[in-house]
Amino acid sequence: MSEAPTQFWAQGALSLTHARQPEDDFVERVASTWFRANGPSYRRVNVREQLARFEQPLFICLRDAGKVIGTYLIDRQQLQCGDTRIHGIYRGLLGISRDALGRGLGQIVVRETNALIASLTRDSSKPALSYGCIDAGNTSAQRILKAQGMREIGRLTTRLVYRQRKPRPASHVVYKLTAPALARWHEQLPEDALRVADPSFGNWVSLDAGSGRLAACRYQLTELCLETLTGVSGFVVEKLMPWFPPGQRRFNPRRFRYISISDPIATPGSDAVANRLVAHLMHSHNTHFAAITSSPRTSLAEMPGANVFRAPKGKAIRILGQYVNAVAPPPEHTPIYLHARDL
């Protein structure tokens, strides 16, 4: 039997609750919320599968007279900066129903969640960092978070990869973070980088081709419904694709499936290995698309190998964060190596 949600704020007919398991109303609200990226508007399709990506989440509902009109999520994890352990609180899925916009409700949700985070970390001697990954084009979410004291602490870059031919499976693929890949993960990070303390959480896949050539990454299958597409190509897709079933098997804007790849690992000279690994994931999940998110501040962005994992011309993801209980937070130039958990 699921645990009853806990109310932590109320004002008139409005209230905020949090629960360790997602309520049906939470899932339905997320599934019906249109999010705005730097380009198309989209809503999430496989919501429950996407919610399983989080380690220790609290699912937050904003209600008006009992009806869920907004959502937010925080996910607790352990981070590390040098030798210092930090409580990490990831934020995501901030959404307000369209008919409730313009009432300042997003500000209320973020403000009261800040107070909730402060209460959850008050008795800890460790510093805490609450942060979220926001599309650079999502100015409304950035405005709300910055008004509540958050600032940009780092950036990620996401690049969409497409394979015209049907992707092929690869041999020697292992669905775990292998010891050589974990060693490489530590090698490619600066010693003072802000990172997750236990990188092994989540779905990992590794491909070791021998002779020191290996590639690995964390992956998820994401499915979106795209509402609007931009430019001439967007017009062509929206008007012609519904009448062209063969094309829909590759790209259906109403059920756009792609492999979300983060924490890419590769050794120099492993371009072909990384390509084979990405193609294998596409084949396994019957899609021609992958979105690869990497940190431009790690050595991976500059290394000569694994071009498929580099995203120099992709769209920017801004990491907005705020330190709690920190006597002296890490300096602003600290390299950031965190992954976007809900993209």
Side-chain angles (χ1 to χ4, degrees):
M1 190 172 181
S2 60
E3 184 178 311
T6 301
Q7 180 175 297
F8 65 97
W9 177 85
Q11 180 178 301
L14 296 173
S15 65
L16 282 166
T17 63
H18 65 74
R20 297 181 185 276
Q21 297 295 327
E23 303 172 69
D24 291 340
D25 290 346
F26 181 95
V27 175
E28 292 172 7
R29 169 46 47 199
V30 171
S32 61
T33 297
W34 289 97
F35 296 88
R36 177 72 179 178
N38 190 7
S41 296
Y42 65 92
R43 63 179 177 83
R44 300 171 186 274
V45 177
N46 57 339
V47 175
R48 288 196 181 275
E49 290 84 350
Q50 294 182 40
L51 296 181
R53 302 176 183 181
F54 301 99
E55 293 183 60
Q56 300 181 64
L58 287 180
F59 301 95
I60 297 171
C61 289
L62 172 66
R63 289 182 167 85
D64 188 356
K67 179 183 177 182
V68 175
I69 60 171
T71 60
Y72 207 19
L73 174 147
I74 60 175
D75 185 32
R76 291 160 290 178
Q77 57 183 167
Q78 291 297 311
L79 306 179
Q80 189 167 343
C81 185
D83 295 328
T84 303
R85 286 296 182 103
I86 298 174
H87 286 304
I89 298 104
Y90 184 84
R91 301 164 174 258
L93 300 180
L94 175 61
I96 305 295
S97 63
R98 286 182 173 180
D99 56 1
L101 294 175
R103 297 165 54 186
L105 298 179
Q107 294 278 5
I108 292 175
V109 173
V110 174
R111 183 192 70 212
E112 298 305 321
T113 300
N114 282 348
L116 174 64
I117 291 172
S119 68
L120 292 174
T121 59
R122 184 174 296 125
D123 297 331
S124 175
S125 59
K126 295 180 184 178
L129 170 67
S130 69
Y131 71 99
C133 298
I134 312 296
D135 189 290
N138 191 346
T139 56
S140 59
Q142 293 178 56
R143 185 168 56 250
I144 291 172
L145 294 172
K146 288 181 178 180
Q148 297 299 324
M150 304 188 80
R151 63 178 178 84
E152 183 173 323
I153 61 172
R155 291 199 176 194
L156 300 171
T157 308
T158 297
R159 178 166 62 107
L160 190 66
V161 175
Y162 171 69
R163 291 287 184 270
Q164 173 66 24
R165 295 182 179 179
K166 185 176 181 180
R168 296 182 178 181
S171 56
H172 307 296
V173 171
V174 179
Y175 284 87
K176 66 178 181 179
L177 182 61
T178 62
L182 179 59
R184 178 59 190 160
W185 187 85
H186 287 290
E187 287 175 5
Q188 70 185 26
L189 297 185
E191 291 184 1
D192 61 343
L194 178 64
R195 59 195 184 278
V196 294
D198 179 13
S200 62
F201 176 80
N203 295 330
W204 281 93
V205 60
S206 306
L207 175 55
D208 193 335
S211 302
R213 295 176 299 123
L214 68 85
C217 62
R218 196 192 310 263
Y219 75 96
Q220 298 284 354
L221 176 67
T222 296
E223 191 168 338
L224 305 176
C225 176
L226 305 179
E227 181 185 39
T228 58
L229 298 171
T230 57
V232 175
S233 59
F235 176 82
V236 171
V237 167
E238 288 191 286
K239 298 302 180 183
L240 299 183
M241 195 63 72
W243 305 97
F244 188 54
Q248 285 192 24
R249 287 195 289 269
R250 293 176 182 250
F251 176 69
N252 182 355
R254 298 296 169 245
R255 297 190 73 90
F256 176 49
R257 293 161 52 90
Y258 66 93
I259 300 296
S260 178
I261 291 175
S262 62
D263 285 339
I265 300 167
T267 54
S270 298
D271 297 66
V273 180
N275 271 292
R276 284 165 52 197
L277 182 61
V278 173
H280 179 87
L281 288 172
M282 290 178 174
H283 176 273
S284 300
H285 295 86
N286 192 28
T287 178
H288 288 256
F289 294 89
I292 301 174
T293 302
S294 60
S295 171
R297 301 189 66 174
T298 65
S299 59
L300 180 64
E302 303 171 356
M303 62 189 292
N307 286 309
V308 70
F309 281 160
R310 293 190 292 177
K313 297 182 180 180
K315 69 176 183 179
I317 303 295
R318 292 179 176 171
I319 306 176
L320 299 183
Q322 184 178 41
Y323 285 94
V324 184
N325 300 340
V327 177
E332 293 189 9
H333 66 272
T334 299
I336 305 295
Y337 197 73
L338 302 171
H339 66 280
R341 306 172 74 83
D342 58 335
L343 298 182

